[in-house]
Amino acid sequence: MVKVPTEFSKMYIGYPVILICYIEQNGQPNISTGSSSFSLGNMMYLGFVSSGHAIDCIRLTRELVVNVPDKRHMAEIEQCGFTSEKERGKFDLSGHTSVPSKHVSAPSILECPISIECRVEEICTPASHPQYTYVIASIVDRKIDSSLLKEDGFLDAGLVDPVFFVGDHKQRMYRFANEIAVPLGDFITDAVY
């Protein structure tokens, strides 16, 4: 393997695409597409463009819902990511169904197999990179499509089929999870415990 230096101004190594629901200043629900996120325990970490409309609304309500779509939702992913519908909202535009959340004001999306309700703990815009704003939120509820759960009620990770965002500043694309799911630890043949 030969590694060479690059001059990318951005690089996405395969982050899951999410649809973030929030409440507009007029009280109406809206959706924004994101791809900069991860969870750690009961915390959710999200990245936004500082000049974006969604982060302005989230600053006010301090609540959001992270919805995980799959490849059946590609048109909706792009509609919610590439259009600005502040007045009408992207629920109308995308045809998604808004479902009231149990713990936060922002709704979830019925058609997404995973929805995660969150309350914002911290919002940060680093002085070194003011074009980006980071949100740290507590997860207050998770809703999972029952078809993704095993009989014991736990997640069947092999069935989760997220869309991934990959690329650099010249070209970005979507990738889909393949149908091969291998349990963690299967690649260690001589494990020492």
Side-chain angles (χ1 to χ4, degrees):
M1 178 182 309
V2 176
K3 296 180 185 174
V4 298
T6 63
E7 305 237 356
F8 302 156
S9 61
K10 304 179 185 186
M11 185 173 163
Y12 302 94
I13 57 174
Y15 301 104
V17 174
I18 56 175
L19 295 173
I20 304 161
C21 291
Y22 56 92
I23 296 296
E24 288 280 344
Q25 295 168 352
N26 65 8
Q28 295 300 309
N30 211 341
I31 309 168
S32 184
T33 300
S35 63
S36 299
S37 70
F38 68 93
S39 62
L40 187 61
N42 282 323
M43 300 298 292
M44 180 68 70
Y45 299 79
L46 304 155
F48 293 86
V49 173
S50 297
S51 61
H53 178 70
I55 191 61
D56 289 341
C57 295
I58 292 167
R59 280 184 204 282
L60 293 175
T61 64
R62 301 186 71 80
E63 294 179 336
L64 57 98
V65 177
V66 173
N67 298 275
V68 182
D70 56 33
K71 61 185 171 188
R72 296 173 295 175
H73 303 103
M74 294 309 301
E76 294 89 345
I77 287 169
E78 291 200 336
Q79 286 171 329
C80 294
F82 293 113
T83 59
S84 178
E85 287 288 330
K86 296 176 191 174
E87 296 79 24
R88 192 167 57 126
K90 295 179 192 172
F91 272 99
D92 288 342
L93 179 70
S94 68
H96 278 123
T97 307
S98 172
V99 176
S101 294
K102 184 175 180 181
H103 301 284
V104 299
S105 59
S108 65
I109 299 172
L110 176 67
E111 294 80 7
C112 288
I114 299 173
S115 297
I116 305 167
E117 296 180 26
C118 300
R119 284 200 186 100
V120 174
E121 298 284 336
E122 198 173 322
I123 298 175
C124 174
T125 302
S128 61
H129 294 87
Q131 69 272 32
Y132 302 115
T133 296
Y134 306 96
V135 170
I136 302 171
S138 293
I139 296 171
V140 295
D141 200 9
R142 295 177 182 91
K143 291 190 176 50
I144 312 289
D145 185 307
S146 61
S147 69
L148 299 178
L149 300 176
K150 298 177 188 176
E151 286 184 22
D152 61 7
F154 288 97
L155 184 67
D156 189 338
L159 297 178
V160 178
D161 192 22
V163 176
F164 297 99
F165 188 63
V166 182
D168 58 25
H169 66 281
K170 292 287 185 187
Q171 180 186 25
R172 289 166 285 182
M173 62 178 46
Y174 302 108
R175 293 214 41 179
F176 306 110
N178 62 30
E179 297 188 19
I180 298 170
V182 180
L184 184 66
D186 272 14
F187 296 99
I188 300 175
T189 55
D190 295 323
V192 178
Y193 297 98

